[in-house]
Structures are given as C-alpha cells and as structure tokens.
Amino acid sequence: MRHARTGKKLGRDSAHRKALYSNLAGQLIEHGRIKTTITKAKAVKPIAEQMITLGRRGDIHARRQAVAFLRSKDVVHKLFAEVAPRFADRPGGYSRIIKLGPRYGDAAEMVYLELVDGPLVFKTKLKPEVEETTASAAAVEDAEVEADAAEDAAVVAETEAASSEEAAGDELVADEAVVEEPGAVSAEADAEAVEAEAAADGAADKPSA
Amino acid sequence: MAVPKRKTSKSRRDKRRATHSIDAPRVNGCPQCGSPKLAHRVCPTCGTYKGREVEKLRISAP
C-alpha cells in the first residue's frame, strides 16, 4: 500500500511540478552538481536516481522512458553514455545532498545535490599543475588524511587518488598523442601525395596514349 | 462580543513577553579553519565539509 506517500506540492500545479522535476533531474545529470533548496533537492533526488537506474539498464525501452521524462535527447544521451556506466557497480544511492545554510533573502536552506562520484567534485586544482611531483605528493597526503576520516571519506579519497592518477595518465597519453599525431598525419599525407602523383601520372599517360 | 474584563497588568504582560527572546544560532568551530559554522553544513569560510573541499569544482568549465 502506498498510503500517505503523496510528496510535496512545492506551490505548483501538477504540470509545473512535473516540469520542475524534469528540469532539475536533467540538470543534475548534465552538470553533476546543482545548487537548489533542500525541499526541491529531496523531492527530485529519488526521481534523478530512477533516471540513472534507467541508464544502467541501458536498453531501448529504458532509453525511451528516460526521454519521456527528461524531455531531452541530449541529456539522455549523456546519461546513458557517460553517467550511468560510472554507476554500473553501485546498487542505488547515486546522489548526495550537502547542506550549505540559509539563503539570503528568504532564508531557505540551500544545498548541493550532486552525484556521488562526480569527476568535477572535490579537490580542485586551483592553479594549473606546474610540477607533477608536488601535485602527486599533495594528492597522497590528502588521501591519507581523508582515509582517517570516515568510510565515506575513504571511498572519496580512493576515487580522488584514482582520478588524479588518471589525470596524470591522461596528460601523458595526450602528450604522446600530440607527438605521434604529426608523424601519422605526415605519413598519411605522404601516402596521399604518392597516390596523387600516381593518379597524375596515370592522367598524364592517358592523353599521351 | 466578548471583551476583556480587566486591563492586562504590567506584571502579566511582561511575564508573557519574557519568553519572546531569540537565541543566537548554535555554531561549532570548523575543523579545517576554526571559524564558526552551522552543524551539518558546509563551512561558509573555507568551503569544506567533513574535511573535504566541496565548493570548488575539480575541472574547469568548458
């Protein structure tokens, strides 16, 4: 029985409320973190997590259900291609609410509603990385400090460490790619030039013949 | 129409108002920077929560 599970009206009629949920869930999936009031965050959190569950299913029916609610193929594509695969091994609980305090003006409690593994959350590199060694050392220290904190924090630290390693790896890969690409491009260009010459020779031969 | 039979005495009025005071918000010290912050909320000064930085984004916006 689903007695007394009607939810909040949020001062809107049903169509307005549905549109609000759709927009907030879509923005959360698109950006990884949204700032809103605690009431809206609590209302949209289960809906957004249902959308991510649809993304984890990944079949065409789930995709159509997600499009029907989110009203945006772009957001649904990002959900199915990028967001949901990150949560493939997580049985629910994809988002968290972090309270920020009362808003100036109406004193509404503001929160961040964010995806728990968001790559854009926690531990900014405020300045561009100048020295690899110092940055990695700082990341290790952070990881140790946070491992002491809580289980949750430990998970975050692991993800942070992993992501920082990934970032370093990505940079290396990017450098190699930059180094390799000119060679590849020039090789292709050479091949094309050879073909073009051959074609030109052929074309030159034909009129003469 | 029902009306008060007696004027409210100063004593009775002031006793009623004795409960109308407001309290300062209960604040704790931030474990990172030590400045006062509300419990269970991000520190407004240093932007950390449970020792993690939450205000800043890790990657810059495109």
Side-chain angles (χ1 to χ4, degrees):
Chain A
M1 291 189 295
R2 49 154 303 282
H3 293 174
R5 289 177 59 190
T6 42
K8 300 254 183 188
K9 290 186 182 175
L10 299 176
R12 288 155 172 84
D13 63 29
S14 64
H16 189 179
R17 193 161 51 238
K18 191 176 162 196
L20 173 76
Y21 293 159
S22 168
N23 286 335
L24 285 175
Q27 295 290 304
L28 175 63
I29 291 163
E30 190 173 356
H31 300 290
R33 172 197 272 182
I34 56 176
K35 186 178 185 179
T36 181
T37 64
I38 191 167
T39 312
K40 287 178 193 165
K42 284 183 175 178
V44 79
K45 187 171 188 278
I47 295 168
E49 300 205 350
Q50 283 165 16
M51 291 299 116
I52 293 173
T53 303
L54 287 179
R56 289 177 62 207
R57 265 169 54 194
D59 53 18
I60 190 66
H61 181 50
R63 186 178 287 265
R64 283 172 181 158
Q65 285 177 307
V67 170
F69 186 83
L70 293 172
R71 315 295 304 169
S72 166
K73 288 186 179 176
D74 293 340
V75 170
V76 170
H77 176 73
K78 173 154 187 178
L79 168 64
F80 278 64
E82 298 176 27
V83 178
R86 302 204 310 256
F87 295 111
D89 298 330
R90 188 182 289 268
Y94 316 117
S95 60
R96 76 163 67 88
I97 291 173
I98 298 178
K99 294 176 185 168
L100 297 174
R103 170 167 67 189
Y104 182 81
D106 64 354
E109 179 77 31
M110 299 302 286
V111 299
Y112 279 137
L113 175 60
E114 64 183 19
L115 301 178
V116 292
D117 73 335
L120 39 76
V121 195
F122 300 149
K123 289 297 170 194
T124 326
K125 297 272 187 286
L126 288 176
K127 297 161 208 163
E129 262 183 79
V130 181
E131 292 175 351
E132 288 279 340
T133 55
T134 55
S136 60
V140 168
E141 285 178 6
D142 288 340
E144 287 176 358
V145 168
E146 288 177 7
D148 293 339
E151 186 180 325
D152 185 15
V155 172
V156 170
E158 286 175 8
T159 56
E160 280 171 359
S163 58
S164 62
E165 288 172 7
E166 285 175 7
D170 286 346
E171 285 182 1
L172 291 175
V173 169
D175 288 343
E176 288 173 5
V178 169
V179 170
E180 285 175 4
E181 270 178 5
V185 168
S186 62
E188 288 178 12
D190 289 343
E192 285 177 2
V194 168
E195 286 177 5
E197 283 178 6
D201 289 342
D205 288 349
K206 275 180 186 174
S208 66
Chain B
M1 195 173 75
V3 293
K5 186 171 185 177
R6 291 204 167 276
K7 176 179 178 176
T8 304
S9 70
K10 281 180 275 188
S11 169
R12 196 168 275 276
R13 179 200 66 196
D14 292 347
K15 277 195 280 187
R16 179 175 68 242
R17 291 181 185 173
T19 66
H20 289 184
S21 64
I22 58 173
D23 295 330
R26 303 279 198 275
V27 293
N28 304 323
C30 172
Q32 295 291 314
C33 67
S35 58
K37 75 181 253 305
L38 291 168
H40 309 297
R41 277 153 187 85
V42 171
C43 175
T45 307
C46 63
T48 59
Y49 182 64
K50 288 186 176 175
R52 304 180 303 226
E53 187 161 4
V54 298
E55 275 297 324
K56 308 293 191 300
L57 302 180
R58 184 203 289 274
I59 59 176
S60 59

